[in-house]
Amino acid sequence: MATETATSMEATVVKKKSEDLFSKRRRRLVADPLDDSNPITVQVLGICSALAVTAKIAPTLVMATAVMIVVIGSNVIVSLLRNVIPGRIRIIVQLGIVAMLVILVDQVLRAYFYDLAKIVGVYVGLIITNCIIMGRLEAFAMGNKPYDSALDGFGSGLGYAWVILVVAFFRELFGSGTLLDIPIVAPLGEALGITIPNNGLMTNPVGAFIIIGIIIWVQRYFNGYVEDH
């Protein structure tokens, strides 16, 4: 009788299907930070670095890549250790992990991209204070598995990257008249027979503030996002 009961129970057990690697929920982990929960334009995080490094596209690209590497790496490591990190010292552990990754990125830049490292070096060091990274560690990596945490870090890093790259595009074009240090505005003015002056405001952090404000206005106009007070 007992054997029949056990056999019956086994037959009714249905093996739970594992979630697809790119399920709808996981695709949203990457897509949401690009628009609906963008770390800069919606959560208003990482503003300091967005103002500081966006005068030219090249250093901005380096900064965006560095932040993506650090946020993905720290998300994965913290997720792997989430069950063994004591709650009372979790912030210290998280800061240690982020600092380790920041130092590694900084050393790689100094070794292989020294000219760019001289421009963005101080700001790369300040990635450890980037609220985007600590926010994802606390809000997501501490409660989710490594793969999902990697996707969350990738989405957040990409959401940060596209905003600062757009800001850098307009600041370099109108502020310096170049793109990736290639003259654009002056040759265009010569072709039109006019002189197009550079806009000094765009080389100033105030110019970055203005462009970020315009991006936020355009984004919220199209997606209908409204602050919930």
Side-chain angles (χ1 to χ4, degrees):
M1 183 65 180
T3 304
E4 293 177 353
T5 303
T7 304
S8 177
M9 291 179 63
E10 290 177 1
T12 58
V13 171
V14 178
K15 186 178 180 180
K16 186 177 180 181
K17 183 181 179 182
S18 59
E19 186 175 3
D20 292 338
L21 287 177
F22 302 102
S23 64
K24 182 178 180 180
R25 183 187 69 84
R26 284 172 167 165
R27 291 199 301 271
R28 288 187 65 82
L29 292 177
V30 177
D32 281 354
L34 302 181
D35 187 10
D36 294 337
S37 60
N38 187 274
I40 293 180
T41 60
V42 176
Q43 301 175 24
V44 196
L45 300 175
I47 295 294
C48 294
S49 60
L51 302 179
V53 302
T54 53
K56 293 288 186 67
I57 291 177
T60 304
L61 188 59
V62 171
M63 187 66 180
T65 305
V67 169
M68 287 186 68
I69 292 172
V70 173
V71 72
I72 294 172
S74 58
N75 257 19
V76 171
I77 295 174
V78 168
S79 178
L80 287 169
L81 301 176
R82 68 188 186 284
N83 294 325
V84 297
I85 299 176
R88 289 186 297 178
I89 63 169
R90 69 184 190 284
I91 300 297
I92 298 174
V93 174
Q94 292 169 6
L95 286 173
I97 293 169
V98 175
M100 176 192 70
L101 292 172
V102 169
I103 291 171
L104 287 175
V105 170
D106 184 56
Q107 292 302 304
V108 170
L109 286 175
R110 290 177 184 277
Y112 297 102
F113 307 97
Y114 185 68
D115 290 338
L116 287 174
K118 288 192 296 184
I119 298 173
V120 300
V122 64
Y123 302 111
V124 170
L126 290 175
I127 289 176
I128 190 175
T129 65
N130 194 313
C131 298
I132 296 172
I133 297 171
M134 293 304 296
R136 298 325 302 164
L137 295 180
E138 275 291 283
F140 197 90
M142 285 296 293
N144 289 277
K145 295 180 179 179
Y147 179 65
D148 288 345
S149 297
L151 292 178
D152 178 77
F154 178 72
S156 297
L158 204 59
Y160 169 83
W162 82 256
V163 173
I164 66 172
L165 285 171
V166 169
V167 174
F169 175 86
F170 288 108
R171 286 188 71 187
E172 181 171 353
L173 180 62
F174 294 117
S176 303
T178 63
L179 288 176
L180 290 171
D181 290 329
I182 300 173
I184 300 295
V185 174
L188 178 63
E190 292 176 2
L192 297 174
I194 60 176
T195 299
I196 304 176
N198 293 331
N199 188 333
L201 185 64
M202 288 294 113
T203 62
N204 193 292
V206 175
F209 253 129
I210 294 172
I211 296 174
I212 290 176
I214 294 172
I215 292 173
I216 292 174
W217 176 74
V218 171
Q219 183 187 25
R220 296 185 181 189
Y221 175 80
F222 284 103
N223 67 14
Y225 176 83
V226 178
E227 289 287 347
D228 184 17
H229 296 287

